[in-house]
Amino acid sequence: YDGQVVQTPAPGARSMTGHGVGEAPFGGGRLEVEVRAVNHRSFEARSRLPTEIAEHAGFVEETARRALVRGRVEILCRVDGVEAGALALDVGRARAAFEELTALRDALAPREPIPLALLGSVPGLFASRVVDVRTARASLGLAPERACEAVIEMRGREGDVLAADLDARLGLVLDLLARVEDRAPRMVEHARQRLSDRLDKLLGARSAFDASRVEQEIVILADRCDVSEECTRLACHGEQMHEVLGAGAE
């Protein structure tokens, strides 16, 4: 496995959330990789690998990045059924730890011996050589790729559901828009009648009002009530949204 994961876009709309699990043989046992993805404007990965393969975290994250492209991604790797190989001692770490213990002994109790057993409590001195690097990279490429394929499949299923919901809501908006456009021409006459009725009620027979001034107010009100531009713009956006949803469904 060379690590060159190429994303093959699946047809249909996609959500940005997903979950997937992938497995691959690993040193006589099995490597399981779990990937969880949520929405994010770029790609951001956080991985947790067992100690014996922790050095390959960057490789695993790069595999996920190539496959998923976007999203905040959590990667969890587990190794099961692998027999531990020979233990490898980190000699440099052991020597540095012993020198620090020696310095502490010299400062506190110069004549006290330092048992080597103390080094056993120092974390990270011994590591189990499970598999070689080449074998590890093969499995650490395949298992995450399979997990990401499952994430992409889940994204597609969820995306189709979301697209259908958006299409239904868009249809409702456009139906309401049609009702607004049907009622718009009658808005001015309705406003004129309401204004006249209010003036009649307020003034009654005590005084006449200036009809020309009322008409001026009606003209101003008509200009403020004109929603033709907004309706045209919303219809255009609705058409574009239909095209986007239709392209995703192809």
Side-chain angles (χ1 to χ4, degrees), residues 55-71:
E55 62 184 293
H56 302 290
F59 177 78
V60 172
E61 292 174 5
E62 177 63 16
T63 300
R65 185 193 69 78
R66 290 177 179 272
L68 301 179
V69 181
R70 278 188 57 204

Side-chain angles (χ1 to χ4, degrees), residues 40-227:
H40 194 59
R41 62 182 178 180
S42 59
F43 182 83
E44 180 181 307
R46 182 174 61 183
S47 59
R48 287 187 293 168
L49 280 69
T51 304
E52 59 267 28
I53 56 173
E55 62 184 293
H56 302 290
F59 177 78
V60 172
E61 292 174 5
E62 177 63 16
T63 300
R65 185 193 69 78
R66 290 177 179 272
L68 301 179
V69 181
R70 278 188 57 204
R72 180 176 283 112
V73 178
E74 293 186 2
I75 307 169
L76 176 62
C77 298
R78 292 182 289 268
V79 177
D80 296 323
V82 179
E83 296 182 0
L87 291 178
L89 172 65
D90 188 335
V91 178
R93 187 179 180 86
R95 180 176 288 110
F98 190 78
E99 289 175 355
E100 289 295 328
L101 289 172
T102 300
L104 181 62
R105 187 275 315 271
D106 292 342
L108 300 179
R111 297 180 181 180
E112 289 293 324
I114 302 177
L116 290 177
L118 283 177
L119 294 178
S121 62
V122 178
L125 285 186
F126 294 93
S128 176
R129 293 175 179 171
V130 180
V131 291
D132 58 55
V133 173
R134 184 181 182 86
T135 304
R137 284 295 176 92
S139 298
L140 286 168
L142 183 59
E145 181 181 2
R146 289 173 173 172
C148 289
E149 288 174 355
V151 171
I152 292 171
E153 182 180 354
M154 184 175 179
R155 282 179 168 182
R157 292 197 304 269
E158 187 174 294
D160 289 340
V161 173
L162 291 174
D165 180 71
L166 286 173
D167 190 61
R169 293 174 184 272
L170 178 60
L172 177 61
V173 170
L174 295 180
D175 286 344
L176 293 174
L177 174 62
R179 293 172 59 184
V180 170
E181 290 178 322
D182 181 63
R183 295 179 60 181
R186 300 191 296 273
M187 290 178 61
V188 176
E189 182 57 33
H190 180 66
R192 176 186 286 108
Q193 188 60 48
R194 285 183 60 192
L195 182 58
S196 296
D197 292 344
R198 290 181 64 186
L199 288 173
D200 287 339
K201 184 176 180 180
L202 290 173
L203 299 177
R206 292 179 299 172
S207 174
F209 55 85
D210 187 349
S212 62
R213 179 59 186 274
V214 172
E215 290 300 321
Q216 291 177 5
E217 293 296 329
I218 293 296
V219 170
I220 296 174
L221 183 60
D223 182 65
R224 293 177 178 176
C225 292
D226 184 9
V227 294

Side-chain angles (χ1 to χ4, degrees), residues 170 173-174 232-244:
L170 178 60
V173 170
L174 295 180
T232 301
R233 185 180 295 111
L234 182 55
C236 180
H237 291 333
E239 182 180 349
Q240 293 174 0
M241 188 66 176
H242 266 311
E243 291 177 359
V244 170

